[in-house]
Amino acid sequence: MAITLPTFTPLEDSLFLTLYARALDNLRPHPILGDAMADQIVHTADYDYGQLHIDTNLILNVALRAKKLDQVASEFLARHPDAVGLDLGAGLDTRFERLAPPATVDWYDVDFPAVAATRQRLIPEHPNAHVIGTDVRDPDWLDTVPTGRPAVIVADGLMGFLTQDELVSLWNRLISHFPSGELVFNSYTRFAIWVARHARGTKSVTDLVRFPGMDDPREPESWNPKLQLVREILLSREPEVAEFPPGWRRYHRLAAHSTAWSRTGTIVLHYRF
């Protein structure tokens, strides 16, 4: 039976773009992410997905960037089984289910209250998985998250919806809250932000994009002296490109020869602090 959703704001509603892309990836003969639960949620939640006009390129990029974020988080949790995990702007992502961390990890999915309440209706509960309904820009929500433990912080799609000042403030609060950890998120160059504002596949979020774009992956190191770039992950150079349809596979293999060209697409940035 379809679950009727609350009336979301346009920003909250943006979660369906990535949810549907992950679900469509799961239907491909050779999925990149293989998120079967995303497909299940799409069939359960009463939403008009046809209005999103998602193209193949967006499906591939959303799935691959989610896989790279998962890989960083999984490797961190393997090294730190007592860690805290945070997924900022989690939407209806099922990262906790994909990672299946040990019971010693406390995982927090953070999003607006209406989205958090919807997560609790659509996604199975787990004793060590927690949902926080808040605006990530609120300085007080971290009071509910344990400190004194290493943390892995994931943000998929969040960066584009914050101003640079809001993003810097958020990162600084997180870094101050934990003794150490890693931060991984998908980033956008200035050109990628321009594309997001004009491409048909991202038309539904055009008016919500607030981040100006960032061309230098080391720029965040100037935001906080504890931040250190571990790796800039350019998706065109990742092995999963071999699973792309022929046309997109050829495009990304050509792009992989140029860092500047690769940066016009999706980038995942990984830092430690």
Side-chain angles (χ1 to χ4, degrees):
M1 184 176 68
I3 293 178
T4 302
L5 302 170
T7 301
F8 288 144
T9 67
L11 185 55
E12 293 166 341
D13 199 70
S14 67
L15 70 88
F16 290 102
L17 191 67
T18 48
L19 171 68
Y20 194 40
R22 292 191 299 271
L24 292 175
D25 166 71
N26 189 64
L27 299 178
R28 296 178 64 247
H30 301 285
I32 300 299
L33 183 64
D35 188 345
M37 188 169 287
D39 190 29
Q40 178 182 326
I41 292 171
V42 162
H43 284 89
T44 304
D46 184 12
Y47 186 81
D48 178 14
Y49 296 96
Q51 66 181 311
L52 298 177
H53 306 295
I54 293 179
D55 60 22
T56 299
N57 187 45
L58 184 62
I59 295 168
L60 297 172
N61 278 276
V62 166
L64 185 50
R65 84 187 191 198
K67 185 172 183 178
K68 296 297 131 177
L69 294 168
D70 284 1
Q71 287 176 351
V72 171
S74 180
E75 291 167 4
F76 184 89
L77 296 177
R79 297 192 306 271
H80 304 279
D82 61 335
V84 171
L86 289 91
D87 193 341
L88 306 181
L92 294 176
D93 200 343
T94 56
R95 180 163 285 108
F96 179 88
E97 282 72 15
R98 296 196 300 270
L99 295 177
T104 49
V105 168
D106 277 301
W107 188 269
Y108 293 83
D109 289 300
V110 186
D111 212 315
F112 293 110
V115 176
T118 304
R119 283 189 64 89
Q120 292 171 317
R121 296 177 64 194
L122 291 169
I123 298 174
E125 294 184 358
H126 298 274
N128 56 325
H130 318 280
V131 180
I132 299 177
T134 187
D135 185 329
V136 295
R137 295 168 293 189
D138 184 333
D140 298 326
W141 67 267
L142 265 173
D143 294 343
T144 63
V145 178
T147 188
R149 295 160 61 182
V152 59
I153 303 160
V154 182
D156 189 352
L158 176 69
M159 185 183 196
F161 301 128
L162 301 179
T163 67
Q164 181 163 318
D165 286 346
E166 289 169 343
L167 191 68
V168 172
S169 179
L170 175 59
W171 287 171
N172 286 338
R173 288 197 303 275
L174 289 161
I175 292 167
S176 297
H177 190 80
F178 298 104
S180 63
E182 295 183 7
L183 175 63
V184 60
F185 57 95
N186 68 298
S187 181
Y188 307 90
T189 61
R190 288 175 172 81
F191 177 77
I193 290 291
W194 182 89
V195 170
R197 287 178 170 145
H198 293 84
R200 185 169 184 262
T202 51
K203 186 177 180 180
S204 62
V205 298
T206 297
D207 295 335
L208 304 174
V209 175
R210 304 175 72 193
F211 191 74
M214 182 175 72
D215 294 335
D216 182 359
R218 291 200 174 274
E219 183 177 337
E221 293 180 332
S222 68
W223 300 350
N224 188 296
K226 292 184 179 180
L227 268 183
Q228 179 183 356
L229 179 67
V230 176
R231 185 185 172 204
E232 177 188 26
I233 304 172
L234 301 173
L235 297 195
S236 289
R237 295 177 176 175
E238 293 302 294
E240 290 85 356
V241 167
E243 299 297 331
F244 283 15
W248 285 111
R249 184 167 65 245
R250 287 192 294 269
Y251 172 84
H252 283 282
R253 282 179 170 167
L254 285 172
H257 294 289
S258 166
T259 297
W261 189 357
S262 295
R263 283 176 174 165
T264 64
T266 303
I267 304 166
V268 171
L269 298 180
H270 176 197
Y271 300 84
R272 68 168 61 95
F273 59 87

